[in-house]
Amino acid sequence: MTSTADAAAAGERRNASDAAGVIVLAACATWSLITAAAHDGRPEGVLLAVLAVAAGYASGRIFGALLPVAAPCAGALAGLGLAIATPGPQITLQLGHTGATAALLTLSTGAACCAAWAADPPALRLTLRLLAIGVTVTAAVLGSTTGFVTCAGVLLCSTAAARMRHRALGLAGLALTAALVAGTTWAIAEDSLPDGLTASLEGQLTRHRVQLWHDALHLARQDPALGVGPGRYGELSPTVAQSLLPDGKPHSAPLQQAAEQGLIGVALLAAAFCWVLYALWRTPRPTPIALTAGAALAALAAIASIGNALSFTTVTAGAGLLAGLATARPLADDGPENVMDTAEHRRDNRMEP
């Protein structure tokens, strides 16, 4: 009777997180259409990103239920292959491709670690962990410094996840980390940091990228509520007009949302990230899997705050896929782990104010 009640409670939690996801993604799509109609923008990019996340999440839930180990392993290998297949000249000449490569490698590391936690045989688990380490080494070989740092961070978080008693605290820490990176990006665009720190960060980020952020913030101030319209940043940015290889993007997801869809767009982007973390908190999967996926997605959020990663369909679909894999309940699950996690959720709920 207890197992039946716990299973019912787990089903209610999944239904609540799924409903929240539908509402958030629908709001993102609707708001892009509203802002596009107001300023003659082009919402196709936002709609494609929303569709990619939804399709990836649904696929992850299906394949994660059928193949809880093989599916994330295949996803890790696919992401690694896509990262390696990215042409070298594009990595060096276009800012966006560096972020996309780092994002794919980070998601691949997270998927490999999730597969390792889901595997039972020690030999298979060791092999999957070696795969995650191999992805991290590949990031260094490809010259993706950001990718190497984020992959290593995901590995460390995945290792530490085994000692976490309450996933809510771990997910809150990951959310705070992503928020700090986004806040720092905004502060740089505002020129509100000390001069020495700003000069140091500009040296790492390049002056060109910082100028793109300045333009985005300037456009956001023209219409804080609606922005200038989806897809119109490239038309109105002076820095883009002077660039040799313009791509029409400010290379920061929060600042792009602020410029093109106003502060409401920024709030919806944050809501989408919070929904993913909420789904990971509510998932009946073991805590290490939830925290590993959360670490990879938080790292992706940090990359997106200083790059153009979310403009690539492979990245947004991969993010949705990883979230779906980490929240899927395997069909062959006998239930004991879910019962333990249900008790953990009850403890976490009692801790909440």
Side-chain angles (χ1 to χ4, degrees), residues 75-173:
L77 292 173
L80 177 61
L82 289 171
I84 294 175
T86 302
Q90 289 182 327
I91 293 179
T92 57
L93 294 178
Q94 296 188 14
L95 296 176
H97 286 275
T98 61
T101 300
L104 287 172
L105 292 170
T106 302
L107 293 173
S108 296
T109 303
C113 290
C114 286
W117 281 116
D120 289 328
L124 179 58
R125 179 169 291 190
L126 176 60
T127 301
L128 292 170
R129 292 197 182 280
L130 290 176
L131 172 60
I133 294 174
V135 175
T136 305
V137 173
T138 301
V141 172
L142 292 177
S144 176
T145 303
T146 302
F148 176 76
V149 172
T150 53
C151 288
V154 171
L155 276 172
L156 292 175
C157 289
S158 181
T159 302
R163 300 179 178 273
M164 288 292 297
R165 295 178 59 86
H166 302 292
R167 70 178 65 179
L169 296 178
L171 293 173

Side-chain angles (χ1 to χ4, degrees), residues 189-213:
E190 288 271 14
D191 281 330
S192 59
L193 295 177
D195 294 339
L197 180 57
T198 299
S200 176
L201 292 175
E202 281 188 7
Q204 300 294 323
L205 296 167
T206 72
R207 181 63 183 172
H208 174 68
R209 192 190 303 256
V210 175
Q211 284 297 124
L212 291 172
W213 294 354

Side-chain angles (χ1 to χ4, degrees), residues 21-330:
V22 170
I23 293 172
V24 170
L25 294 180
C28 290
T30 302
W31 184 248
S32 69
L33 293 173
I34 293 174
T35 54
H39 294 291
D40 194 24
R42 297 181 297 277
E44 293 82 5
V46 178
L47 296 177
L48 180 60
V50 171
L51 178 61
V53 171
Y57 184 76
S59 300
R61 290 288 291 270
I62 294 171
F63 289 113
L66 298 174
L67 303 168
V69 178
C73 179
L77 292 173
L80 177 61
L82 289 171
I84 294 175
T86 302
Q90 289 182 327
I91 293 179
T92 57
L93 294 178
Q94 296 188 14
L95 296 176
H97 286 275
T98 61
T101 300
L104 287 172
L105 292 170
T106 302
L107 293 173
S108 296
T109 303
C113 290
C114 286
W117 281 116
D120 289 328
L124 179 58
R125 179 169 291 190
L126 176 60
T127 301
L128 292 170
R129 292 197 182 280
L130 290 176
L131 172 60
I133 294 174
V135 175
T136 305
V137 173
T138 301
V141 172
L142 292 177
S144 176
T145 303
T146 302
F148 176 76
V149 172
T150 53
C151 288
V154 171
L155 276 172
L156 292 175
C157 289
S158 181
T159 302
R163 300 179 178 273
M164 288 292 297
R165 295 178 59 86
H166 302 292
R167 70 178 65 179
L169 296 178
L171 293 173
L174 294 172
L176 179 60
T177 301
L180 287 175
V181 175
T184 301
T185 301
W186 200 286
I188 294 173
E190 288 271 14
D191 281 330
S192 59
L193 295 177
D195 294 339
L197 180 57
T198 299
S200 176
L201 292 175
E202 281 188 7
Q204 300 294 323
L205 296 167
T206 72
R207 181 63 183 172
H208 174 68
R209 192 190 303 256
V210 175
Q211 284 297 124
L212 291 172
W213 294 354
H214 288 326
D215 292 349
L217 200 58
H218 175 72
L219 294 175
R221 287 170 177 160
Q222 293 182 9
D223 192 341
L226 296 174
V228 298
R232 298 197 64 216
Y233 171 85
E235 302 173 6
L236 304 174
S237 169
T239 303
V240 170
Q242 298 170 6
S243 300
L244 296 177
L245 294 170
D247 60 3
K249 307 292 183 181
H251 295 272
S252 174
L255 290 173
Q256 181 172 351
Q257 286 292 97
E260 297 185 345
Q261 299 186 53
L263 296 179
I264 296 179
V266 177
L268 289 174
L269 180 64
F273 178 63
C274 291
W275 158 63
V276 172
L277 295 184
Y278 175 75
L280 291 173
W281 176 45
R282 290 297 198 179
T283 179
R285 300 300 299 279
T287 294
I289 293 179
L291 291 181
T292 297
L297 294 170
L300 172 61
I303 293 171
S305 293
I306 60 174
N308 198 29
L310 296 186
S311 295
F312 293 82
T313 305
T314 51
V315 174
T316 51
L321 180 66
L322 179 59
L325 291 170
T327 55
R329 181 180 180 181

